Amino acid sequence: MTGKARVLVTGTGAITPVGADAPSTWSALLAGKSGVRLLQEDWAPGLPVHVAAGLQVDPASLLPRTEARRLDRGEQLAILGAREAWRDAGAPDVEPERLAVVIGTGTGGVLTTLGQDDLFERSGMRRLSPFAVPMLMANGPAAWVSMDLGAKGGARTTVSACASGAEALSLGMDLIRAGRVDVVVAGGVEACLHPFTLAAFAQMKALSTASEDPESVSRPFDVRRSGFVMGEGAAMFVLEREGFARARRARAHGVLAGGAVGSSAGHITASDADGQAAAITLALRDADIAPRDIGVVHAHATSTESGDLAEAEAIGWAVGTHAAVTATKSMTGHMMGASGAVGALAAVLALRDGSVPPTRNLDEQDPRVELDVVRGESRTGRWDAALANSFGFGGHNVSLVFTRDRGGVQ
C-alpha cells in the first residue's frame, strides 16, 4: 500500500471570523464579507492595535458546559470543526487503528497559559484549574479530537507558526500514501487574541495600527497595506484513501494531489522568495502537475509589504502570472496556525464550485505584484488544479496542490 495513492477530501468543517461553519464561511468569502471589527474588550484601551478578526459566535456556547469548561478556546474550535467535517464526510466506518488525527497550531493553548498565570499571580496556586495542563498543551486539539472520534492511528501536532495548518494536511496526506491509515482528520486551529499577543506582534511592526474603517484594514497586495490583522478560527478536513472512499460511495469535494514542506534556513521572520518558490515547485512535482495547469492560487498574502512581494515573486517564478489569485486574509484576518487550513478550504471549494473569492480592499494593486489578483467580485470559471500557499516565521514554507475530483479510482 505504499506509493502515491490518491487522497480525497470528503469532509470539511470550519469556524472563522466570517462564518460559524464551512458553508457559511465559504458563502461569506465569495461575497467578499469582512470579519474585521474594532476591539471592544475591556483590555483593548492602551494597545497600539485597535482591530482584530474575532469569531462572531462563542465556541463555548456551542458545546455542553461541562465539556467546554475543560477545553481551551482553541481546543473548542478544533472539536467543533472536526465534528462538522466528520458529519460532512458521512461519519466513515473505519477501524480505529486506521484512523489518525493531525492538527496544527502556532501558539497552542496560549490563552490558558496567560490566563492561568494571571490567576496564579493574583490568587495563588489553589485557584488554578485542574484542567490547566491539558488545556495549554499544543497537542491538546489533536488529542481531544482523537478521543472524540476514537482515532487510534495516531494523534499528531504540527507546530510551524503560520504554516501549521497546511503542514498538518501535508502530513495527513503522507500517512495515507504510506498505507498507515485509511482516514485522517486534519486541519489547523488558532485562538490567541489577547493583549499580550497583540502587543508582541505590534512591537515587531507586523500589525496594522489603522482603525478608522476596520473592514478596510487588511489589504493584501494593495499599495496602502500597512500590516496584517490578527484573527482566530479553525478549519478541518476528512482525508481518505481513494479506494476506501470509493468503496463506501463517499462524495468528494476534491483531491489533495500533492504537497511540499520546505525550510528557508535563513531569517527567523523574513520572507524568502527562493524558499517559497522551491516549496511550490516541489508541490507541483509531487502532484505531477505542470505550472500552466494551476488555475487558482490561494496566496498566503498577509498584507505586509515584504511578505506580499516575496510571495508574488515566488508565484511568478514557480507558476507564472496566468492563474487567478485570491487572498482571503483580506476578510478573515490572519488566523495564524489555522490560516493554511482555511486557505486550503478556499482552494478546494474554488475548484468544486468554479468560483474564486475576491481579494477585498484591493483598490490599487502594487505594480510590483505582477499577478492576476481577483478583486471586486468573485470570479467564475472551470479550473482543474489549485495551489494553496502557507508560510510561517522560522522559514517554514508549505504548498499544497488540489485537483477537481473526476470520479473513479485512479
Side-chain angles (χ1 to χ4, degrees):
M1 292 181 61
T2 59
K4 291 186 179 180
R6 291 218 312 169
V7 177
L8 303 189
V9 178
T10 59
T12 62
I15 180 167
T16 70
V18 296
D21 53 25
S24 61
T25 292
W26 181 232
S27 295
L29 294 178
L30 289 177
K33 294 182 178 179
S34 175
V36 180
R37 301 288 184 270
L38 279 173
L39 288 167
Q40 302 290 345
E41 287 78 4
D42 57 7
W43 45 256
L47 287 174
V49 177
H50 309 290
V51 300
L55 300 174
Q56 298 180 12
V57 60
D58 180 7
S61 69
L62 304 178
L63 295 167
R65 183 174 180 275
T66 54
E67 182 178 24
R69 66 187 293 266
R70 67 183 181 183
L71 300 173
D72 176 78
R73 186 175 177 89
E75 294 170 343
Q76 294 170 2
L77 297 178
I79 286 285
L80 290 167
R83 287 175 179 172
E84 181 192 354
W86 194 250
R87 291 192 302 269
D88 184 46
D93 184 12
V94 58
E95 295 179 9
E97 292 77 14
R98 302 292 296 175
L99 171 63
V101 173
V102 188
I103 297 177
T105 179
T107 63
V110 67
L111 295 183
T112 292
T113 301
L114 294 170
Q116 290 290 297
D117 181 66
D118 286 344
L119 187 61
F120 177 72
E121 295 291 341
R122 291 197 312 266
S123 306
M125 64 173 290
R126 293 185 181 277
R127 297 297 303 276
L128 294 179
S129 168
F131 304 114
V133 172
M135 289 170 72
L136 64 84
M137 299 187 309
N139 63 306
W144 282 114
V145 169
S146 73
M147 289 184 283
D148 194 55
L149 298 177
K152 296 184 178 180
R156 303 193 181 192
T157 300
T158 51
V159 182
S160 46
C162 306
S164 300
E167 185 169 352
L169 288 166
S170 179
L171 178 54
M173 176 187 67
D174 288 345
L175 290 173
I176 292 173
R177 284 178 168 180
R180 296 180 182 177
V181 294
D182 296 313
V183 182
V184 177
V185 176
V189 62
E190 203 75 86
C192 63
L193 295 182
H194 184 280
F196 172 81
T197 53
L198 288 165
F201 276 98
Q203 281 293 92
M204 297 179 64
K205 309 299 182 183
L207 298 184
S208 174
T209 58
S211 62
E212 184 175 343
D213 180 9
E215 293 187 353
S216 71
V217 173
S218 185
R219 315 179 65 84
F221 299 131
D222 189 82
V223 293
R224 294 197 295 127
R225 62 186 173 274
S226 58
F228 73 80
V229 174
M230 189 177 290
E232 60 178 347
M236 299 291 159
F237 300 80
V238 175
L239 307 177
E240 298 189 43
R241 178 173 57 82
E242 183 178 32
F244 182 87
R246 301 296 188 203
R248 68 179 191 87
R249 300 181 183 276
R251 173 206 60 188
H253 296 288
V255 181
L256 176 50
V261 178
S263 51
S264 294
H267 195 277
I268 192 66
T269 58
S271 300
D272 173 47
D274 288 337
Q276 294 172 5
I280 295 171
T281 299
L282 288 173
L284 294 175
R285 186 181 304 163
D286 185 51
D288 195 22
I289 293 289
R292 65 179 178 276
D293 295 329
I294 294 294
V296 177
V297 175
H298 184 281
H300 183 66
T302 62
S303 198
T304 64
E305 181 177 12
S306 60
D308 288 0
L309 293 180
E311 183 177 14
E313 191 172 30
I315 293 171
W317 288 344
V319 174
T321 59
H322 63 278
V325 177
T326 183
T328 60
K329 289 182 181 69
S330 59
M331 295 170 274
T332 66
H334 191 353
M335 291 174 283
M336 318 302 280
S339 64
V342 174
L345 179 70
V348 71
L349 296 186
L351 296 180
R352 185 196 69 182
D353 296 347
S355 191
V356 179
T359 299
R360 188 184 172 93
N361 305 321
L362 186 56
D363 299 327
E364 184 181 353
Q365 185 167 319
D366 189 323
R368 295 170 291 179
V369 176
E370 298 177 348
L371 301 174
D372 180 15
V373 184
V374 180
R375 69 173 84 186
E377 297 181 350
S378 60
R379 183 181 300 178
T380 58
R382 188 172 179 84
W383 304 279
D384 292 324
L387 172 74
N389 289 330
S390 191
F391 310 124
F393 284 173
H396 302 283
N397 303 315
V398 181
S399 291
L400 303 172
V401 175
F402 295 91
T403 57
R404 282 194 303 114
D405 177 42
R406 299 178 181 277
V409 179
Q410 297 183 16

